[in-house]
Amino acid sequence: MRVVSGECKGRPLKAVPGSSTRPTTDKVKESIFNIIGPYFNGGLVLDLFAGSGGLGIEALSRGMDKALFIDREYKAIQTIKQNLEACHFTDRAEVYKNDSERALKAIVKRELCFDLILLDPPYKKQRLVELLEFIGNYNLLTENGYIVCEHAADVTLPDRVNHFERWKFETYGMISVSIYRKTLENWEE
């Protein structure tokens, strides 16, 4: 596992010890960022089920200004911090040990709005539609932002959730990626 492109291209990343998390493969990571980027001119990213932090770190390497990393597992938090140090991104990141629901409520209180939201929850406990609803209800995505949902290939997400529409959908073996954006009607308001 490594940083695929950008400022830290080729830098190896540690995986979370044990089998509780499955890191996004470099191939899938590269495909995701080629679709939504591949590079950014600043912005704020939320990596909500961060695991090793690989997706959020990739976004920082490709030009995002700052990232929030959230995971509820202590081992994941330690791994994220080690990977951020290895990439010299600690000053551009906030790392919190929290579950997704409580973290989102804290984000709402801080009135944050993200250019990129990365959702890669454990496949057995996915509540992606519920998360998309919450993000839409509290307007946590900028007008031109992206929400990247990684899920099992046998999971079918709706084309529209709240005021988001599925903009891209790709399958890579057992993994699928659904990318949502605000619907065009919302851009015109």
Side-chain angles (χ1 to χ4, degrees):
M1 200 169 67
R2 64 188 172 85
V3 179
V4 178
S5 191
E7 187 181 331
C8 290
K9 181 179 180 175
R11 182 91 25 99
L13 298 174
K14 293 183 178 190
V16 178
S19 60
S20 61
T21 63
R22 51 162 177 70
T24 303
T25 66
D26 290 348
K27 176 188 170 202
V28 173
K29 199 179 345 178
E30 184 172 22
S31 295
I32 288 169
F33 283 94
N34 282 342
I35 292 168
I36 63 171
Y39 300 100
F40 307 102
N41 291 318
L44 182 61
V45 60
L46 170 63
D47 195 345
L48 189 56
F49 301 87
S52 66
L55 287 172
I57 288 170
E58 188 72 32
L60 289 171
S61 182
R62 291 172 182 252
M64 285 282 178
D65 292 321
K66 189 169 183 181
L68 267 68
F69 295 88
I70 315 287
D71 204 286
R72 62 183 189 159
E73 301 292 333
Y74 177 75
K75 287 180 187 173
I77 295 301
Q78 296 308 109
T79 304
I80 293 164
K81 288 179 178 178
Q82 291 169 357
N83 285 334
L84 286 167
E85 283 176 27
C87 294
H88 307 289
F89 286 153
T90 50
D91 60 333
R92 293 170 54 195
E94 295 178 29
V95 183
Y96 299 102
K97 182 183 178 300
N98 212 338
D99 67 53
S100 59
E101 212 169 287
R102 289 172 64 189
L104 285 172
K105 288 176 183 172
I107 286 166
V108 169
K109 283 183 184 169
R110 287 178 65 184
E111 298 180 3
L112 296 175
C113 194
F114 298 91
D115 300 285
L116 175 60
I117 298 175
L118 303 163
L119 303 176
D120 185 10
Y123 287 172
K124 289 186 174 76
K125 299 177 184 168
Q126 286 192 334
R127 301 180 344 270
L128 286 168
V129 172
E130 197 177 304
L131 290 167
L132 288 165
E133 288 280 357
F134 188 95
I135 291 164
N137 288 342
Y138 290 94
N139 205 24
L140 302 181
L141 187 71
T142 60
E143 285 303 312
N144 295 311
Y146 299 92
I147 303 171
V148 176
C149 302
E150 192 174 319
H151 52 91
D154 61 358
V155 171
T156 304
L157 294 178
D159 289 334
R160 290 179 75 119
V161 178
N162 203 316
H163 52 264
F164 303 120
E165 64 185 343
R166 188 164 55 179
W167 178 68
K168 293 280 185 187
F169 173 77
E170 300 289 334
T171 298
Y172 310 92
M174 295 168 47
I175 297 167
S176 286
V177 175
S178 294
I179 301 173
Y180 287 86
R181 302 199 69 193
K182 289 190 174 181
T183 56
L184 288 174
E185 301 94 73
N186 289 315
W187 292 355
E188 293 165 1
E189 286 177 7

